[in-house]
Amino acid sequence: MAVERVATGFRWAEGPVYFAAGRYVLFSDIPNNRIMRFSEDDGHVSVYRQPSMNSNGNTIDREGRLITCEHSGRRVTRTELDGSITIIADKYNGKRLNSPNDAVVTSDGSIWFTDPIYGIGGYYEGVKAEPEQEKHNVYRVDPKSGDIKVVVDDFVEPNGIALSPDEKKLYVIDTGFTDGPNNPSHIRVFDLDVAAGKASNSKVFADMPKPSITDGLRTDTDGRVWCSVGWGDPNEDGVRCYTPAGELLGKIHIPETVANLCFGGQQRNRLYICGSTSLYAVYTSVQGSMKP
């Protein structure tokens, strides 16, 4: 099973999500302010949305709708089945969010997302602005009321987010190392209570080899964690796979910094990898959990 480069020509590919109904991958090209679409059946690459409000992380909800985190919009949106866009979250306590980064949707329809400040740090991947939220939080949006609440408030820079296949664990990346050498570059894991809307018992799941950081992650049906690695030692650029206990199983080397990844394909066994200027793909011996 070889790694293939299936598309290239992007500035910074991020936030991939697979739509089984159409057999395509959507992913963000953040500085180019667009969402791209890779069609799995014929390899065609096209622009799905431009401008995209410098979209970053994308996921899909249980009704097959696109959920997007937008840097310059400083919001989380949902693309309805008719193509219209609904704002899910853009403020907390009357103040604008910093720059939503990544999101997941649990089985009850609640949306959990991270809110670091990367999208307001300059004009390359967003619009430069002062942060209005004092802390860089992980939030939950209630599926019925739409209320937004903070579920974790002690991250330096919360980034990628993912669920275990049984929804009993929540994984969140902290890329605080980008803000200072003593800050973390790791994945944290929480006990997740979906019904109560709570994440508790935080612990470090896996440390990254500094100066590299991980940015995005997904799980497979057996609970293994697959995460991106980049921005540090080129020999570490690629994907790492961990057991549910946090033991490193192996690496997939990619010749570019990898920001994010997702499982796709008709058997959910094709790993799509966003590597800076390119989209890569590799068939694996496992199936992605495909939980949004």
Side-chain angles (χ1 to χ4, degrees):
M1 294 177 282
V3 175
E4 308 164 76
R5 187 167 74 171
V6 297
T8 192
F10 318 109
R11 279 214 170 91
W12 179 20
E14 244 279 27
V17 57
Y18 183 75
F19 282 77
R23 289 194 62 198
Y24 58 83
V25 181
L26 296 182
F27 59 96
S28 299
D29 185 1
I30 302 177
N32 282 326
N33 198 16
R34 60 186 183 171
I35 296 176
M36 305 301 297
R37 174 174 49 206
F38 170 76
S39 296
E40 196 173 56
D41 50 3
D42 63 358
H44 180 67
V45 179
S46 59
V47 176
Y48 174 79
R49 177 182 297 160
Q50 189 176 28
S52 67
M53 307 296 279
N54 299 104
S55 66
N56 189 335
N58 296 284
T59 192
I60 184 172
D61 72 7
R62 304 306 164 104
E63 284 73 50
R65 298 170 297 189
L66 173 67
I67 306 294
T68 300
C69 295
E70 300 175 355
H71 279 182
S72 55
R74 296 172 71 169
R75 63 188 190 178
V76 180
T77 63
R78 181 176 63 229
T79 302
E80 306 296 348
L81 299 179
D82 65 1
S84 61
I85 295 176
T86 300
I87 298 172
I88 300 299
D90 62 353
K91 290 184 176 67
Y92 176 71
N93 277 349
K95 297 180 180 179
R96 296 187 72 184
L97 298 172
N98 293 324
S99 59
N101 189 286
D102 203 5
V104 290
V105 184
T106 49
S107 54
D108 66 346
S110 58
I111 298 171
W112 306 61
F113 68 92
T114 59
D115 189 41
I117 59 170
Y118 295 122
I120 56 175
Y123 295 103
Y124 186 62
E125 54 178 294
V127 177
K128 189 174 183 178
E130 289 299 317
E132 296 182 28
Q133 299 295 333
E134 181 182 349
K135 294 186 175 182
H136 307 163
N137 299 317
V138 180
Y139 295 92
R140 175 187 179 272
V141 183
D142 187 89
K144 295 182 176 66
S145 67
D147 289 341
I148 304 168
K149 75 171 186 178
V150 175
V151 287
V152 190
D153 69 353
D154 63 347
F155 276 86
V156 181
E157 296 286 7
N159 206 313
I161 187 170
L163 301 165
S164 63
D166 60 6
E167 293 193 343
K168 292 182 178 178
K169 300 290 183 183
L170 179 72
Y171 298 93
V172 184
I173 292 168
D174 195 335
T175 49
F177 179 71
T178 60
D179 295 4
N182 296 321
N183 290 331
S185 174
H186 61 210
I187 302 170
R188 286 167 61 182
V189 61
F190 299 82
D191 292 332
L192 183 63
D193 187 333
V194 172
K198 292 181 179 179
S200 59
N201 298 328
S202 167
K203 64 179 182 180
V204 174
F205 175 77
D207 272 308
M208 293 301 118
K210 293 178 180 178
S212 296
I213 60 171
T214 180
D215 197 330
L217 72 169
R218 295 290 187 275
T219 60
D220 63 31
T221 52
D222 293 322
R224 287 176 286 261
V225 173
W226 301 68
C227 71
S228 68
V229 180
W231 291 281
D233 182 351
N235 293 320
E236 294 290 350
D237 284 353
V239 175
R240 287 183 163 213
C241 178
Y242 291 90
T243 68
E247 300 161 342
L248 180 62
L249 276 175
K251 306 175 184 179
I252 302 170
H253 293 291
I254 301 294
E256 298 186 70
T257 272
V258 175
N260 216 328
L261 45 92
C262 75
F263 283 97
Q266 290 181 299
Q267 307 301 325
R268 307 197 311 277
N269 67 331
R270 197 178 195 191
L271 190 65
Y272 285 99
I273 302 164
C274 283
S276 298
T277 68
S278 307
L279 180 68
Y280 296 87
V282 60
Y283 285 98
T284 69
S285 56
V286 303
Q287 291 180 302
S289 62
M290 294 299 289
K291 295 290 186 189

